[in-house]
Amino acid sequence: MDDDGTPVADNSNESNPENDLDEERKIKCMKERQKLFNSMSKYEKKLMKGLMKGFGNTMILWLISKKRMHGYEIMTKLHESTAPYNTKMPSASKIYPVLHDLEKNNMIEGSWEHHGKRKVKYYKITAEGEEALSRFKEIARIAKKNKSSLWLEFFRDMIAVEDE
């Protein structure tokens, strides 16, 4: 989707048996998560959505650190990973302000490119953004090393993060 909210076609997943298997796994996983999410109370759903929302900006920065992306690509990735918790695609009105904030604070930089007849803004992480993620990882390493972080205990328990 370019910055005016128009979807941009992504033909990177042409018919390929490996892509089909990946897609089948994604669908199965999404169905399992949807079933679990549907079994939650209204308040439990609210807690889960709050957790997901709280990590959104950092997750977007992390996603862009893996590969340069345009806004619609980011929205699609987030939707694929959170579909059971947020039944509709994240809206442009939620994603683009985060992208603009990250760009304003020099964590990412955007460049306009022609994509067919449209101009699409691709975002890539900056050196400052890489340094910020590196500091976040270092904080996590220190917490893990000292075994004193409540957050570390929380993540270990909640998402089964194992010690190496």
Side-chain angles (χ1 to χ4, degrees):
M1 182 175 291
D2 55 16
D3 260 3
D4 71 359
T6 308
V8 173
D10 180 7
N11 297 328
S12 62
N13 285 338
E14 294 294 325
S15 186
N16 172 339
E18 273 186 31
N19 288 343
D20 292 343
L21 284 175
D22 287 344
E23 196 61 32
E24 286 176 28
R25 280 187 222 130
K26 282 181 189 176
I27 292 169
K28 183 179 178 186
C29 182
M30 287 174 64
K31 285 180 181 179
E32 288 173 7
R33 290 185 293 180
Q34 185 66 50
K35 184 178 177 183
L36 180 60
F37 190 71
N38 289 342
S39 72
M40 296 171 123
S41 72
K42 187 176 179 179
Y43 186 70
E44 289 171 325
K45 290 176 185 176
K46 180 181 174 182
L47 289 173
M48 179 60 73
K49 286 179 183 178
L51 179 66
M52 299 304 287
K53 186 177 179 183
F55 287 104
N57 295 18
T58 306
M59 187 173 288
I60 289 171
L61 180 61
W62 174 79
L63 276 171
I64 294 169
S65 79
K66 299 297 179 193
K67 131 183 182 184
R68 71 185 201 105
M69 305 173 112
H70 54 76
Y72 186 72
E73 237 178 325
I74 294 166
M75 289 171 24
T76 302
K77 286 275 188 198
L78 291 173
H79 179 64
E80 287 172 356
S81 68
T82 63
Y85 317 116
N86 191 3
T87 56
K88 58 185 178 180
M89 176 87 94
S91 69
S93 66
K94 302 260 188 222
I95 299 300
Y96 285 105
V98 172
L99 290 170
H100 296 155
D101 186 56
L102 289 170
E103 190 173 25
K104 179 180 148 197
N105 287 287
N106 300 316
M107 297 286 119
I108 61 173
E109 69 180 28
S111 61
W112 289 97
E113 297 179 17
H114 288 281
H115 197 87
K117 292 183 178 183
R118 299 180 188 275
K119 284 180 81 178
V120 179
K121 194 170 191 179
Y122 281 86
Y123 297 93
K124 69 178 185 176
I125 195 161
T126 62
E128 288 179 56
E130 290 281 5
E131 289 170 16
L133 286 178
S134 180
R135 283 189 286 273
F136 297 161
K137 289 176 187 176
E138 185 59 26
I139 288 168
R141 276 192 280 279
I142 290 168
K144 183 177 180 180
K145 179 180 170 187
N146 294 326
K147 299 181 190 271
S148 62
S149 171
L150 186 59
W151 280 103
L152 182 61
E153 185 178 342
F154 170 78
F155 282 116
R156 250 193 222 116
D157 190 45
M158 295 306 292
I159 60 174
V161 174
E162 299 292 328
D163 280 331
E164 295 168 357

